[in-house]
């Protein structure tokens, strides 16, 4: 994993497993605490959602010793998102369980070009890619990508 002189990830998409993400970024007690909150959130999501992908950004993906939070654009298959809307609302509400150290934005994704929402989903993904690929000064930086896909049960 390469970092720029300013502490940001090198430009591009860095696809990691959850363990690789933990090893790379949960490097001190402060970061481990934030990662633990993120891991708890993910365990709830993996119980409810079959498949999702996450673009991860923010100070957590830099070399900062005390990052404020983990920023996540959390993409869920549009068909599953419709079914699980109550779950998503319950964890995102003011009384929900997402702690302040996790800045989560749920978004639909669609890979079926015949789906009437395909273009809208592509625009949302492009939006987040643009937001996450630049720092607050407009400098290019990298984005972490994590996937989850439920394994077929025999």
């Amino acid at each position: 994993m390469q970092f720029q002189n300013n502490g940001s990830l090198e430009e591009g998409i860095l696809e990691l497993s959850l363990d690789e993400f933990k090893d790379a970024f949960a490097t001190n007690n402060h970061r481990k605490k934030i990662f633990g909150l993120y891991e708890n959130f993910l365990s709830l999501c993996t119980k409810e959602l079959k498949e999702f992908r996450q673009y991860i950004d923010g100070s957590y993906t830099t070399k900062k010793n005390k990052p404020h939070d983990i920023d996540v654009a959390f993409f869920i298959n549009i068909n599953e998102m419709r079914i699980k809307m109550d779950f998503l609302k319950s964890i995102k509400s003011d009384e929900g369980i997402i702690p302040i150290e996790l800045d989560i934005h749920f978004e639909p994704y669609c890979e079926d070009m015949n789906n009437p929402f395909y273009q809208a989903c592509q625009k949302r993904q492009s939006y987040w890619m643009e937001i996450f690929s630049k720092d607050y000064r407009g400098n290019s930086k990298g984005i972490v990508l994590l996937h989850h896909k439920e394994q077929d049960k025999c």
Side-chain angles (χ1 to χ4, degrees), residues 53-66:
R53 68 181 81 144
Q54 302 166 82
Y55 292 104
I56 302 177
D57 185 44
S59 58
Y60 197 82
T61 61
T62 69
K63 288 186 146 192
K64 277 188 176 179
N65 283 329
K66 288 194 160 197

Side-chain angles (χ1 to χ4, degrees), residues 5-141:
N5 290 338
N6 65 7
S8 295
L9 284 171
E10 284 291 334
E11 188 175 350
I13 296 176
L14 181 62
E15 196 166 344
L16 298 175
S17 69
L18 184 60
D19 287 337
E20 290 169 328
F21 181 66
K22 180 180 181 178
D23 291 345
F25 294 102
T27 55
N28 63 33
N29 287 337
H30 178 78
R31 286 174 162 276
K32 287 176 183 174
K33 177 187 174 230
I34 293 174
F35 183 82
L37 296 169
Y38 172 70
E39 202 169 31
N40 290 341
F41 164 76
L42 275 184
S43 71
L44 290 172
C45 291
T46 57
K47 290 176 188 170
E48 291 288 330
L49 303 169
K50 293 180 184 176
E51 184 176 359
F52 53 83
R53 68 181 81 144
Q54 302 166 82
Y55 292 104
I56 302 177
D57 185 44
S59 58
Y60 197 82
T61 61
T62 69
K63 288 186 146 192
K64 277 188 176 179
N65 283 329
K66 288 194 160 197
H68 184 274
D69 62 5
I70 298 176
D71 298 330
V72 181
F74 196 103
F75 286 87
I76 305 164
N77 179 286
I78 191 167
N79 297 322
E80 187 174 15
M81 191 173 206
R82 288 180 183 151
I83 295 167
K84 297 293 185 175
M85 194 55 72
D86 287 341
F87 165 73
L88 297 173
K89 285 179 183 175
S90 73
I91 62 174
K92 189 67 174 170
S93 72
D94 290 340
E95 302 82 37
I97 57 163
I98 298 177
I100 195 163
E101 294 88 353
L102 305 179
D103 188 9
I104 310 287
H105 302 272
F106 293 110
E107 296 285 353
Y109 79 84
C110 178
E111 294 175 343
D112 177 4
M113 294 174 71
N114 295 318
N115 186 306
F117 297 103
Y118 176 79
Q119 291 296 329
C121 289
Q122 294 302 307
K123 284 181 183 179
R124 293 304 300 162
Q125 183 169 322
S126 294
Y127 167 81
W128 285 106
M129 294 293 289
E130 178 67 25
I131 294 293
F132 281 5
S133 67
K134 306 274 186 206
D135 68 13
Y136 67 95
R137 291 184 181 117
N139 300 312
S140 295
K141 62 184 176 92

